Amino acid sequence: METFLTKTSQKKITMLHFLLERDQWCSIEELQNELGVSAKSVLNYLSEMEELFQQYHGKIVLKNEGNKRFFLEKHENFPIYTIYLHFYRSSYNYQLIDYMYKNPEKNLEAYAKEQFTSVSTVFRYAKLLVKYFARYQMLFHPYQLTIEAEESSIRSFYYYFYWNSARSGDWPFQTSQREIADYLNCFEAIYEVRLDPLQKRSFSYWLVITIERSRFFKVTINEDQKSVIREDPYFSFINQWLKASSLDFDISESYFLYQVIYSFGIIDGNQKYENSHGDVHRRRNSTMFRALMNLKITVEEEFGYLLDTEDPELVFNFIAFHERSALFFGNTDLFFNRSYVKEMREETPQVYQRIEQFKKRLISTADKQVSILLKNWEQLFLDYYYILDYYDLLLNAQKPVKILIQDDLHHTHRLWLMNKIHAYFGKSYLLAFYDYQTKIEEVDLVISNYYLDTKDKPLLLMKNIPTERNWRQLEALLYRITTERV
């Protein structure tokens, strides 16, 4: 946060977060204590918030009772990151990075001159970006305003930078959106596809960044990647499209754009292209395909489950996420730097430990090139988690929650209740049900329609026809039981 925000902006975001978390009326004294500022400053911050919220047409509203009490009301589906991004985009360092992209030939002194400010002031902020870029394995030179890294990684950075900050739909580039749209129409004609709105937006960003960066910098593609791309018969479509669009690119740019359309789902859903791409990776035994085979071996050894690597859709999708991770190192959430690894460690430690064990085995069986790929774990983590969770492997590796159904109704009702509980919670928790013969001390939870002494075991009193409150209580108990296990 400090990379992009002044201390004043940080206090405004802290205040916004405090009001959201409170979800009730809050006095000006409470806000003063939380922020450590005067009442006048608090009122100035709130006034700015009220003005900012007006553009969102009632989806987020600050209620004010005589400048004494305040309440923040937000529509359930309104994305609060939109407000946070307002402060990020107005910061020195956002504007500095934007300037670097749009003026790659200029340095910090030129920027300071255009901003009518001193070089020392701008340099003080620019130095904060050294550590910021380091987490993406990029070397930033503050005075020159240059990033030292592979060109493909730099382009990826700018893609995520603008993708994450332009979520309101505005066009942040110098090349006209209409011009890019014409290129995409030509692409659809050559490939005989129809891109959906998300694919168009993603491809538009990649294409404009490629056009604007290629005027100054050349991208390089390694031989392993080139050999795969050249062998795909549909690679010729890229060159046909670029020629028809009068885009005069070096051959390396054709390779790069091929990588983008497959790695970022631009061609997603078109089997002939996906199958061809996956088949070439298989024939060439590429690094990405070996990463998939390493995954297959590890899943079989760790969970006893055999991934169907004869399924072309699976092969394509698993190769694609490995290709994405090779383009950019680290967390792609450039502004909030959200760590899903850390979140899982804190919220579901048992699942986290299981994935960590899985990761160690992945690394132990990987060859040198695949090991290098796996170092980008912060990014790959989500993809591997989705795979394991999709096949229910994480649940199967856990101990089930043992539930004793102990009520005074007939057996048919108990069967119905077990089935109902499984239908509601079976996808989230591994459940095992027991009946009267089981001792209470052998289970984790007792559900009954009458009170009985369960000693230290949780008891859920549930009505014969369970209420919404009963289901919420059960959900809370299941969560507590699974997260308390070490």
Side-chain angles (χ1 to χ4, degrees), residues 295-305 307 358 388 393:
L295 170 64
K296 177 184 178 179
I297 292 167
T298 309
V299 166
E300 187 174 7
E301 291 178 347
E302 193 74 13
F303 299 99
Y305 184 86
L307 288 176
F358 174 71
L388 298 177
L393 300 178

Side-chain angles (χ1 to χ4, degrees), residues 257-297:
L257 287 168
Y258 173 94
Q259 284 185 300
V260 164
I261 68 170
Y262 286 95
S263 302
F264 283 83
I266 310 303
I267 213 73
D268 198 29
N270 294 273
Q271 289 187 357
K272 68 176 181 179
Y273 301 124
E274 292 180 351
N275 294 355
S276 179
H277 182 71
D279 286 343
V280 175
H281 275 278
R282 186 192 299 272
R283 290 197 301 271
R284 299 297 306 185
N285 196 30
S286 68
T287 302
M288 307 308 162
F289 185 74
R290 296 200 310 277
L292 167 57
M293 296 311 293
N294 186 56
L295 170 64
K296 177 184 178 179
I297 292 167

Side-chain angles (χ1 to χ4, degrees), residues 376-393:
N376 196 4
W377 188 247
E378 188 68 42
Q379 188 178 141
L380 286 170
F381 171 82
L382 268 186
D383 296 297
Y384 281 110
Y385 167 72
Y386 290 150
I387 292 167
L388 298 177
D389 194 53
Y390 178 80
Y391 292 110
D392 286 336
L393 300 178

Side-chain angles (χ1 to χ4, degrees), residues 176-286:
S176 79
Q177 196 169 5
R178 179 67 261 173
E179 180 182 340
I180 299 299
D182 289 341
Y183 295 143
L184 264 59
N185 290 336
C186 183
F187 177 88
E188 289 180 318
I190 296 289
Y191 275 80
E192 297 182 339
V193 298
R194 180 65 61 190
L195 303 180
D196 66 33
L198 185 61
Q199 289 171 324
K200 282 187 176 181
R201 183 168 177 253
S202 180
F203 197 18
S204 294
Y205 276 50
W206 276 115
L207 182 55
V208 71
I209 289 169
T210 301
I211 290 170
E212 294 179 352
R213 289 286 299 182
S214 65
R215 295 168 185 160
F216 300 92
F217 306 100
K218 184 178 179 180
V219 70
T220 57
I221 310 296
N222 68 44
E223 286 305 317
D224 182 44
Q225 295 165 330
K226 285 182 181 178
S227 66
V228 169
I229 296 170
R230 282 194 296 258
E231 196 167 318
D232 187 347
Y234 294 115
F235 173 54
S236 62
F237 282 18
I238 286 280
N239 294 317
Q240 289 178 42
W241 163 54
L242 294 176
K243 185 176 180 181
S245 300
S246 300
L247 284 167
D248 186 19
F249 279 149
D250 182 272
I251 186 63
S252 61
E253 302 295 349
S254 300
Y255 289 137
F256 180 72
L257 287 168
Y258 173 94
Q259 284 185 300
V260 164
I261 68 170
Y262 286 95
S263 302
F264 283 83
I266 310 303
I267 213 73
D268 198 29
N270 294 273
Q271 289 187 357
K272 68 176 181 179
Y273 301 124
E274 292 180 351
N275 294 355
S276 179
H277 182 71
D279 286 343
V280 175
H281 275 278
R282 186 192 299 272
R283 290 197 301 271
R284 299 297 306 185
N285 196 30
S286 68

Side-chain angles (χ1 to χ4, degrees), residues 439-453:
K439 295 179 180 179
I440 288 175
E441 56 265 28
E442 295 177 2
V443 299
D444 301 304
L445 169 66
V446 180
I447 297 177
S448 177
N449 64 346
Y450 64 90
Y451 178 79
L452 65 156
D453 183 7

